[in-house]
Amino acid sequence: MAQTIVLTGMVLSAVPVGEYDKRIVLLTKERGKVSAFARGARRPNSQLIAASNPFSFGKFEAFEGRSSYTVVKADISNYFRELAADVEGAYYGFYFMEIADYYARENLDAVHMLKLLYQSLRALESPSLDNRLVRRIFELKAMVVNGEYPNVFTCLKCGKEKELRYFHVKSGGTLCEECAGQAAQARELGKSTLYTLQYIITAKLEKLYTFKVSGQVLKELAQIMDEYMQFYIEKEFHSLRVLGENEGFASRFCL
């Protein structure tokens, strides 16, 4: 009889299969992103009925098959129930999980992405943090974890480390004032926004959600991240459609 393995991770998505089962996608510390079946998870008396829902974080005991896993037991330490019950917060959470799913690969180290996702969902539950800022921090830090973030520490044309007053998407980062004149569509960058970008990129995961920004900085940060992700990420995230409507409404009153 095959032995089971224990995976520490979070359910990113779940879809029904057959009459009683679910197919779930897990982001795990040990095996990266894995696909698994939760047999009988849709039965009313199943021990996996809650453990197979998105946001569930804990330890999953599973049999390993050729192309997928079969979860037989789960010990969930955090269901993120408050987040799941908050419509706006849940959509942010689903968006974060879409990004994690996009970057994660099977059998590749996912320790940092899993930790980032967990910390970010906790940040969404905090009433003192603006979800719009949490979103931009997560987006940029997810790129850092994946190793494809913008250079905001030097001018990409001349290498200067000071007077970085512009951001240029196609160049992949910042430009000084002199070099920006030679680049079309360079966006002016405030000093506080530059510092915010630098802090997010270099900060430890535990220190990410410890600051607030002005409405102007949040606006610039949002514009930069939208343009950068649209240029470098070839995927449409479904949760963004709803988020865009909610954030557009909120920005008219909060910025």
Side-chain angles (χ1 to χ4, degrees):
M1 184 177 180
Q3 291 185 337
T4 59
I5 60 172
V6 177
L7 302 171
T8 301
M10 179 180 291
V11 179
L12 298 181
S13 62
V15 294
V17 175
E19 192 172 357
Y20 297 111
D21 304 335
K22 281 185 179 181
R23 178 184 176 274
I24 63 177
V25 175
L26 291 166
L27 180 65
T28 72
K29 180 173 67 175
E30 298 83 2
R31 302 288 180 91
K33 182 174 70 174
V34 301
S35 175
F37 288 98
R39 304 293 183 188
R42 295 165 63 206
R43 294 182 184 275
N45 60 344
S46 173
Q47 295 181 349
L48 298 176
I49 191 169
S52 58
N53 289 331
F55 300 120
S56 297
F57 175 86
K59 295 185 180 297
F60 298 82
E61 188 174 334
F63 290 106
E64 184 178 3
R66 290 185 177 180
S67 59
S68 66
Y69 296 75
T70 299
V71 175
V72 294
K73 187 178 179 181
D75 180 14
I76 304 302
S77 58
N78 195 339
Y79 289 98
F80 287 98
R81 286 194 173 98
E82 291 185 10
L83 178 62
D86 174 21
V87 175
E88 179 185 293
Y91 272 109
Y92 277 101
F94 281 122
Y95 173 53
F96 293 178
M97 291 193 293
E98 278 193 82
I99 291 179
D101 182 89
Y102 172 77
Y103 279 128
R105 298 291 184 272
E106 188 173 354
N107 294 322
L108 291 182
D109 185 358
V111 173
H112 295 297
M113 183 62 77
L114 180 62
K115 189 173 183 180
L116 171 62
L117 179 60
Y118 187 88
Q119 296 281 8
S120 301
L121 295 184
R122 289 189 63 187
L124 289 175
E125 290 184 323
S126 173
S128 64
L129 293 172
D130 188 328
N131 287 346
R132 295 169 299 164
L133 176 59
V134 174
R135 167 188 171 178
R136 302 308 179 174
I137 293 172
F138 177 83
E139 288 172 340
L140 180 53
K141 201 63 173 182
M143 290 183 171
V144 174
V145 171
N146 197 57
E148 55 179 32
Y149 55 95
N151 179 350
V152 294
F153 299 94
T154 61
C155 174
L156 292 168
K157 297 293 185 181
C158 69
K160 185 187 297 183
E161 296 181 359
K162 296 182 179 180
E163 304 299 324
L164 304 175
R165 296 181 179 177
Y166 291 85
F167 187 92
H168 192 242
V169 170
K170 291 185 179 180
S171 298
T174 47
L175 299 173
C176 68
E177 187 168 9
E178 182 178 350
C179 294
Q182 306 168 23
Q185 298 179 325
R187 175 182 291 280
E188 192 168 355
L189 188 64
K191 289 183 178 180
S192 295
T193 306
L194 174 63
Y195 176 77
T196 300
L197 290 166
Q198 292 174 338
Y199 180 82
I200 295 170
I201 290 172
T202 58
K204 294 182 179 180
L205 295 180
E206 296 84 357
K207 300 293 185 179
L208 271 181
Y209 299 106
T210 57
F211 68 94
K212 298 179 181 180
V213 298
S214 68
Q216 180 60 31
V217 171
L218 180 57
K219 182 179 179 180
E220 288 185 17
L221 189 62
Q223 291 170 338
I224 287 170
M225 290 309 302
D226 283 343
E227 293 175 6
Y228 193 85
M229 292 183 69
Q230 185 177 5
F231 190 81
Y232 289 99
I233 296 180
E234 298 178 357
K235 178 178 173 59
E236 180 182 354
F237 297 103
H238 300 296
S239 305
L240 274 181
R241 191 172 305 166
V242 176
L243 281 182
E245 295 174 359
N246 289 342
E247 289 188 338
F249 177 81
S251 66
R252 292 197 292 271
F253 297 91
C254 299
L255 289 181

